[in-house]
Structure formats: structure tokens, C-alpha cells
Amino acid sequence: MSKPIIGNEPNHNPKHKRNPLENVMGKLSKIKFKTALIILGVFTAVLIFWQIYFSLISFSIYNVGLRAFIIILLLLWSIPFFVFFIKNRKEGYTKKESLKKVHWGWQIPAGIATVLIVVCICLAIFTTPMFMAKSYNTMISVDTKSGTAEEPFKEFTEEVDDFYDGDMQVAIIDKYFASLLGEKVLGQSSGGYASQFEVNDYTLIHYKESLYWVGALEPKGFFQWTSSSKTGTPGYVIVDATQTDANARAELVTTHNLKYTPGAYLWHDAERQMYFSNMGALRENELSFELDDDGVPYYTQVIYKKKFGITSGDEATGLLIMNATNGECKSYALDKVPDWVDNVQSHSMILKQLNYWGEYSHGYFNTWFAKEEVNNTTDGYNYVYNNGRFYITTGITAKSEDSAIIGMVLSDLRTKQTVMYNMVGATEQAARKSAQGIQEAAAAGYYASFPTLINFSGVPTFYMALKDNAGNIKMYAYVNVQDYTSKLAAGITPEIAKEKYLEKIKGDIVDKPVVPNGEEKEGSLSFITAYMQDGNTYFFITVDGVDYEISIKTKGAKQLLKASVNDTVKIRIDGGAVTEVISVTKNS
């Protein structure tokens, strides 16, 4: 009988194939305690360095990201615990025995991580609006003006007649058009800056008695940064936002070199410099570029906390300010921020809190079922500058109806003080569509910029620019907030548009008081000088031998900017103080 061929027999004892994870776990289980400590220590140090230098992690109790990072590190240090526990189980030990056999040093991080995970999940759940709707609703206090739309509205803004001589100013040029002007002035610069530098963002500020868009020159890339890192970028671009003529220009200011910008690298990165000055502060991601009264450039960053359970409810608490020329940083409480800073409060936090206020006035579940008085902000916002303060303005609309507003809110960007004016009318987007539908604008295909809320002789009005496809301003438009389909007008200058609009709303204009308080005095100006005090401009004048001190914020005081000795000045005096500069008449 021949022997069977062994090679053709089936293999009844195949070699067991271990999956890759088992191989890894097997190798890890052979590592000694001290060796594991060294490996985990080095890896942890690398992770911490990365989080500090590149991720700029905030070491604040309010930072949810910090807690998540700590849990990740604890889980990393828990790996040996799971490895040895599984090994012991495979060797036949019970769960209790397997746990005891694991070195106590590996049990600690696993236990802490478990506790932190449970606590963080509970905090995340129980600090949501579902459980704290009332607390979210009251994060921002809103003073609602009732009655007619016109009367309370008059308390906020100056008349439209005071756009150029009064305290109210609106930005006619928007950020996009300002960026076009900035690109143009860079391209025309004699230093050839356009190939090396760019402006990545613009901030609206009040500077030298007007509104300006300002943007810092930043290096276009790493090699551009290395070539300018010693001296910094040449300066910044500034654009007068109140310009109305077709020849609007940007100005390149090169009196201050900027060593620290968001577009720089390594130690000259503005955000990194600000981070290392206060690593314990929870900072908003967005930086704001501003100028002090002398034109020195600064970056600001909002410091905030989590109001509910150190987990939810962002609330601004201070401001971090950095000198862009030398990197010096200083933190301020909100009530101590210098007067020249305009953007103190966080715009995004204000809008988020306004939505909390609108949605949760009757609790969380009302937003799902009864939906009584559930409101939210409209899409977009704008700015108004009045009486020395910046305001953010946006519409409030019922959540179920986004084509009409029920009111307009104005929030002070320094104090967060907010007023809502009850008025039913167009949303900003509806007003834009109405302006674009005006015959001249529609025929040319112009589109409207985001509108600004103004007071036109007591009539709530949206004011906006109409632009061509290249972004150039071609016309200006006024649209009545409450009757936005028939009471609107546009013109190639603001003055022409104003006259046309005035004809449309004559019957709606609220009469002004005939006799204001105080007595009038008219006389010859024999002396005039201007000076700065506490960040504000004052005039010292002598009229018919009597001296007066007048703040630039006094009604009509800006007329004194163009006044000269021997001019005739008419002022209103109440209680010995000048309450209004009525007129300045030039005498040749």
C-alpha cells in the first residue's frame, strides 16, 4: 500500500493569525513601568507644546477646549491601564483580580478621566437653554420704547440735517468698497507695496472727528514676512467712510511700522503675542484693528467668560489691547477701556444674546409649541455713531415671519446698553430690494449696500448706497421703514436723494419744538483755539469779550472747525454753558 502524499493533506492545525491591534497590545504589555512613563511623558510634552505655541490654548477655567485637552491627556495616560487589564483578563483572571493586578499608577488617570467626562457631559446638558431659558433671556437688558414709532425714535438719533454738522455720522462707504479703494492705493504706492503686502480686514472706527475704515498692511506670505520682520510692515490704509463723491480715495499711512500683525509668523504673529501676554484669559478669536488719537495702531481682542456652569453663555468681561508697533500688551476691565477704543463689546456676542432675549421670553418649550412672541434678529447689522458712541443696529422680526420687522434695536458697543424701538416695517433685506427696484437703479442693474437706520425728521428711514457690479457707488437711496414700497427715493448724490425723499414723506414729518431752552447770543469771534483733553476735543472761544469752553460733542460745535477770528457766531446759552452752536458766518 502506497503512503499518502503528506503535502496534499489538509492542515488540521492552522497557525493562528493575530490581528494588528492584538500585536500592538501584546508589545505594549511587555513595556516596563518606567519606560512607559518616559514615552508618555515625552509625547505629552510635545502635545502641550503644540497646544501652547500653535493652538494658543487658553489656561482659563472657562475654556471648554482646555477641559477637553486635559481629558485627552488623561485618556492617553490611561492606555497602559487598559492594556494590562485586557492582558490579565486573557490570562484567566476575574475582572476584580485583573483590576488589582494593574499598577496603581495607571489607575489614577483612568479614574480622573472618567469623572471629568461625566461632569463635563452633565454641565453641557444642564446649562443649555432647555434648563436655563430665563437666564439666557436676561443676558442682555433691552429697554423697549412703546407708543408711536416716531416719538421714541427721536430720542436716539440726530436729525438727518445734522449728518455733516451734528454728532450723528453714518458710514456711506461699506467695507467692500473700502477694500477696493485700499487695493488701488497699494497698487499706486511708490514703494511697490502691492507685491509684498495686503490688507486682510478693515475695522470701522471714529477718528479725527469722522468715521474711517482702517486696515493694517500684512505680509502676503512667509518669505515676504522674513524680508520685513526687522522693520515691520510699512503702515496701514485709512478710508474716510463718510465720503460721498465719486472720487473717494484711500490713504496709505506710513508713519508707523507694524511689527505685529495677524498675517506675520512665529514671534511676530499678533494673536500669539497677545496670547503670551495673558495665557489665562479666554479670548475671542477675532482681532479688531484700531487707532488711538495720535494715529498709533493697536489690535484689540475681547476677553470673556462662560456665565453658566463655566461651560455656556459667553459674556465679555474685558479687552486685551496690543500696540502693533512694539507688541506691548495690556488687559482692561470693560469700564476701564481707553476712550479712543470704539469696538469694546463683541459684536457676535451681542447678536447672540439678542437672539436669546427674543427667543426665550416665555421659556424654552414655547419656542417649539405655542411660539408666543418668539423673535430673532434679522440677517445682518450695521453701525451708527452718535453722541460720541458707536452703536450696532439690527432689526427684530418674528421667527415665523422674516419679511417684516417688529422693531429695531440699537446696542452701545461700549456698555452693551440696548434699546428697541417698536416699529412695524421692512427688514433690511426688504428695504434693499425696494431700493434696487427704483427705476433708475433697476435700469442700470445697481445693487444696494446693507442699509443704516437713520432719523429723517422723526421718520425711521433706511439709508444706503447703490453700487454697480464692480462695487463702485453710483447712487444713494432713502427707504421708509414702515412704508417701503411707495415712500422711497434715490439720487446721484445724497442731497438729491434727500430732496426727492422729502417730497414723499412731507405728511409724516413730526414738527420740531419752536422754542428751545436757553437764550441766543450772536457776536464777533475774537479768539478761537482747539485742544484735546481725556481723548475729547474742546474749543475755547471769545465772543464779544466773553470766554466760552465748548465740547466737540455740543450740538453744532463742528461748525467751529472751519471758524476764524472775526467770523460771526450765534450760540445758545443755558445756565452759563453753551448748549448749541447755531451758526457760524464767515466774514471776509
Side-chain angles (χ1 to χ4, degrees):
M1 183 181 247
S2 61
K3 293 182 179 181
I5 299 174
I6 303 297
N8 291 334
E9 287 184 353
N11 187 357
H12 295 291
N13 297 299
K15 187 177 181 180
H16 175 66
K17 291 184 178 180
R18 301 176 68 184
N19 64 51
L21 183 60
E22 287 181 339
N23 290 331
V24 173
M25 298 288 278
K27 291 179 181 179
L28 288 176
S29 65
K30 295 177 183 180
I31 296 177
K32 294 181 180 180
F33 182 77
K34 290 184 178 180
T35 304
L37 278 178
I38 294 172
I39 294 172
L40 287 173
V42 171
F43 194 59
T44 299
V46 171
L47 285 178
I48 292 175
F49 173 77
W50 184 273
Q51 285 293 318
I52 291 176
Y53 196 78
F54 293 102
S55 297
L56 309 181
I57 188 168
S58 169
F59 291 91
S60 167
I61 190 175
Y62 301 108
N63 188 5
V64 178
L66 176 65
R67 296 200 289 274
F69 180 61
I70 291 173
I71 290 174
I72 290 172
L73 289 181
L74 289 169
L75 290 175
L76 176 67
W77 281 77
S78 301
I79 290 176
F81 167 81
F82 294 110
V83 169
F84 290 113
F85 179 80
I86 293 171
K87 177 188 175 184
N88 293 335
R89 287 289 289 154
K90 285 188 175 182
E91 292 176 354
Y93 293 100
T94 64
K95 289 182 179 179
K96 189 174 183 180
E97 291 171 335
S98 299
L99 184 63
K100 286 184 177 180
K101 283 180 69 63
V102 177
H103 193 287
W104 63 270
W106 304 127
Q107 297 181 28
I108 293 175
I112 296 175
T114 303
V115 172
L116 280 179
I117 289 172
V118 172
V119 171
C120 289
I121 290 175
C122 290
L123 283 174
I125 293 174
F126 292 108
T127 58
T128 60
M130 180 184 295
F131 297 95
M132 304 185 68
K134 185 175 181 181
S135 297
Y136 277 89
N137 171 253
T138 56
M139 285 190 73
I140 191 168
S141 177
V142 180
D143 181 16
T144 303
K145 299 291 186 179
S146 58
T148 63
E150 292 84 356
E151 289 304 318
F153 186 74
K154 288 177 67 177
E155 297 174 16
F156 169 69
T157 61
E158 295 288 337
E159 297 288 345
V160 71
D161 294 339
D162 294 323
F163 264 14
Y164 308 106
D165 296 323
D167 292 324
M168 179 184 175
Q169 295 177 351
V170 296
I172 297 171
I173 290 177
D174 60 14
K175 182 186 288 190
Y176 178 75
F177 189 49
S179 68
L180 294 180
L181 295 173
E183 290 176 4
K184 188 174 181 180
V185 75
L186 275 181
Q188 295 173 343
S189 64
S190 57
Y193 296 140
S195 62
Q196 295 177 282
F197 308 106
E198 61 186 351
V199 179
N200 288 317
D201 196 18
Y202 284 84
T203 304
L204 186 66
I205 65 170
H206 186 256
Y207 175 65
K208 293 188 182 298
E209 314 306 335
S210 188
L211 298 184
Y212 287 89
W213 289 105
V214 291
L217 294 187
E218 301 180 35
K220 282 190 170 182
F222 180 77
F223 294 106
Q224 287 79 7
W225 169 72
T226 56
S227 64
S228 62
S229 60
K230 289 185 179 180
T231 58
T233 65
Y236 51 85
V237 173
I238 185 167
V239 182
D240 188 343
T242 63
Q243 298 176 97
T244 59
D245 58 350
N247 297 316
R249 291 286 185 273
E251 180 184 354
L252 179 60
V253 180
T254 58
T255 53
H256 302 278
N257 288 356
L258 280 64
K259 277 195 171 184
Y260 298 85
T261 65
Y265 292 81
L266 302 178
W267 55 90
H268 284 164
D269 183 317
E271 190 170 2
R272 182 172 288 115
Q273 177 74 4
M274 297 173 81
Y275 165 73
F276 280 111
S277 74
N278 194 339
M279 296 172 66
L282 184 59
R283 297 161 295 106
E284 194 175 42
N285 292 330
E286 188 175 333
L287 299 183
S288 180
F289 184 70
E290 302 221 14
L291 306 177
D292 70 6
D293 294 327
D294 297 320
V296 178
Y298 289 82
Y299 280 101
T300 68
Q301 193 171 33
V302 173
I303 298 172
Y304 68 103
K305 68 176 184 178
K306 301 286 184 177
K307 194 171 184 180
F308 310 126
I310 66 170
T311 299
S312 305
D314 296 348
E315 182 74 84
T317 59
L319 199 68
L320 184 59
I321 302 178
M322 183 196 72
N323 186 316
T325 65
N326 57 28
E328 292 181 357
C329 300
K330 190 173 182 179
S331 298
Y332 296 87
L334 289 179
D335 59 348
K336 302 295 184 181
V337 175
D339 291 338
W340 55 265
V341 181
D342 293 309
N343 297 275
V344 178
Q345 292 282 344
S346 164
H347 305 177
S348 60
M349 289 181 197
I350 287 178
L351 294 173
K352 188 182 295 184
Q353 291 174 14
L354 284 172
N355 281 319
Y356 292 151
W357 169 78
E359 290 184 12
Y360 302 125
S361 57
H362 294 284
Y364 176 79
F365 292 102
N366 176 67
T367 63
W368 289 90
F369 301 108
K371 297 185 178 181
E372 180 183 355
E373 295 181 340
V374 178
N375 307 314
N376 52 231
T377 59
T378 53
D379 183 18
Y381 63 90
N382 216 324
Y383 305 94
V384 169
Y385 180 85
N386 191 42
N387 292 321
R389 290 291 180 88
F390 255 111
Y391 294 83
I392 188 173
T393 172
T394 187
I396 297 293
T397 183
K399 201 161 188 177
S400 59
E401 174 59 63
D402 59 0
S403 63
I405 61 168
I406 60 172
M408 293 292 297
V409 292
L410 299 115
S411 295
D412 190 324
L413 281 174
R414 179 169 286 270
T415 65
K416 205 177 73 173
Q417 182 179 356
T418 303
V419 178
M420 173 175 169
Y421 298 96
N422 291 325
M423 60 183 80
V424 177
T427 63
E428 295 95 333
Q429 297 301 333
R432 290 180 68 189
K433 290 181 180 178
S434 292
Q436 290 164 183
I438 295 174
Q439 185 176 359
E440 304 98 304
Y446 297 153
Y447 68 94
S449 61
F450 196 85
T452 300
L453 177 68
I454 65 170
N455 175 4
F456 199 109
S457 298
V459 179
T461 301
F462 284 127
Y463 180 54
M464 69 204 82
L466 291 164
K467 304 190 291 185
D468 61 19
N469 290 331
N472 299 305
I473 297 176
K474 295 298 183 180
M475 300 182 75
Y476 304 88
Y478 294 92
V479 178
N480 190 289
V481 173
Q482 294 161 300
D483 188 355
Y484 57 97
T485 57
S486 60
K487 295 179 180 179
L488 66 166
I492 58 174
T493 67
E495 291 76 15
I496 293 174
K498 175 183 171 183
E499 292 301 320
K500 289 182 178 180
Y501 182 64
L502 186 60
E503 289 297 318
K504 298 285 185 74
I505 63 164
K506 275 185 176 180
D508 302 327
I509 293 177
V510 179
D511 293 334
K512 300 178 184 179
V514 177
V515 182
N517 294 329
E519 61 173 325
E520 294 182 7
K521 178 179 179 179
E522 185 175 18
S524 177
L525 188 66
S526 58
F527 179 79
I528 179 169
T529 186
Y531 63 93
M532 297 289 294
Q533 182 175 321
D534 298 328
N536 295 313
T537 301
Y538 292 87
F539 297 98
F540 188 86
I541 66 173
T542 303
V543 179
D544 289 347
V546 182
D547 297 332
Y548 300 98
E549 185 181 53
I550 305 171
S551 168
I552 190 69
K553 296 180 181 180
T554 302
K555 185 175 182 181
K558 291 182 182 179
Q559 298 177 80
L560 294 173
L561 290 169
K562 300 178 181 179
S564 305
V565 173
N566 295 325
D567 288 348
T568 300
V569 177
K570 181 185 286 189
I571 56 178
R572 191 180 310 282
I573 304 171
D574 192 5
V578 176
T579 59
E580 180 184 0
V581 178
I582 301 172
S583 65
V584 175
T585 304
K586 303 294 291 183
N587 292 324
S588 56

